[in-house]
Amino acid sequence: MALNMIAQALATTFHRCVQSNGLILAGVLAVVALTAACSSTEESQPVSPGITPNVTEPGSGRAADSVYRRADDLCTHVDFAPLTQVLGAAAAQRGQAHDIAGATDATCSTTLGDLPEGAFVRVHATTGDPGSGRVIFDSLRPAHQADGALTDIADLGSAAYTYQDELTGRYVITHDGNLYLTVVVVPAVDGMDLPADLVDRMTETARATMSRLRE
């Protein structure tokens, strides 16, 4: 009974967090859509003689190459293996997906290990128009910076960082092309010792999941 109450409390906390993030993302993605519309209008205008338009050739940059599929069932794409190796086997996975301002916002949540020694894990992916991942990343980073110190992560997406939220856990956040991706781990019990290489393992989960989502 007590373990079920713990699991329910964790799920409720993350559900509220997802709802809050969804409202923020809706506003950010609305700006993305408006920017894309304005850019389309500008591109349709004739170019004055002597002015060379700024065009990125296909294959010349990450933003042009990185296109990620919209996942109606994110759990089929998430690789929890780097985390299950140290936190324990994954329980039943719960996935959700809905559309926000023209983008697909999807989550996959599960518990790893045996409660109360395990941890709650959530992967959150937002896929939208080209370049939308960076807009979300740049818009939300200042808010995360206010919550605590950020540490940049090399060799993950176009940019990535990690930070610790005292209420909702350890985060790894990245973006690439039209994708914004978050991996979060929160221990089931306050004060629980987590692996020293937790961030590295969360990074591997993010990297593997991005590979599976890439078209």
Side-chain angles (χ1 to χ4, degrees), residues 99-112:
D99 292 334
I100 298 179
T104 297
D105 196 51
T107 61
C108 179
S109 304
T110 189
T111 54
L112 301 184

Side-chain angles (χ1 to χ4, degrees), residues 7-90:
Q8 184 177 4
L10 287 170
T12 299
T13 297
F14 274 86
H15 179 66
R16 290 174 179 172
C17 185
V18 169
Q19 287 183 318
S20 177
N21 286 340
L23 293 174
I24 297 173
L25 285 172
V28 173
L29 289 169
V31 174
V32 174
L34 180 60
T35 301
C38 292
S39 297
S40 177
T41 302
E42 291 175 358
E43 290 173 359
S44 66
Q45 299 299 319
V47 178
S48 301
I51 298 178
T52 303
N54 183 15
V55 178
T56 301
E57 294 296 330
S60 63
R62 292 184 60 88
D65 294 338
S66 301
V67 178
Y68 296 84
R69 64 174 58 90
R70 300 181 182 224
D72 292 327
D73 185 0
L74 182 61
C75 291
T76 62
H77 302 286
V78 174
D79 183 5
F80 287 112
L83 293 169
T84 60
Q85 292 170 4
V86 293
L87 294 175

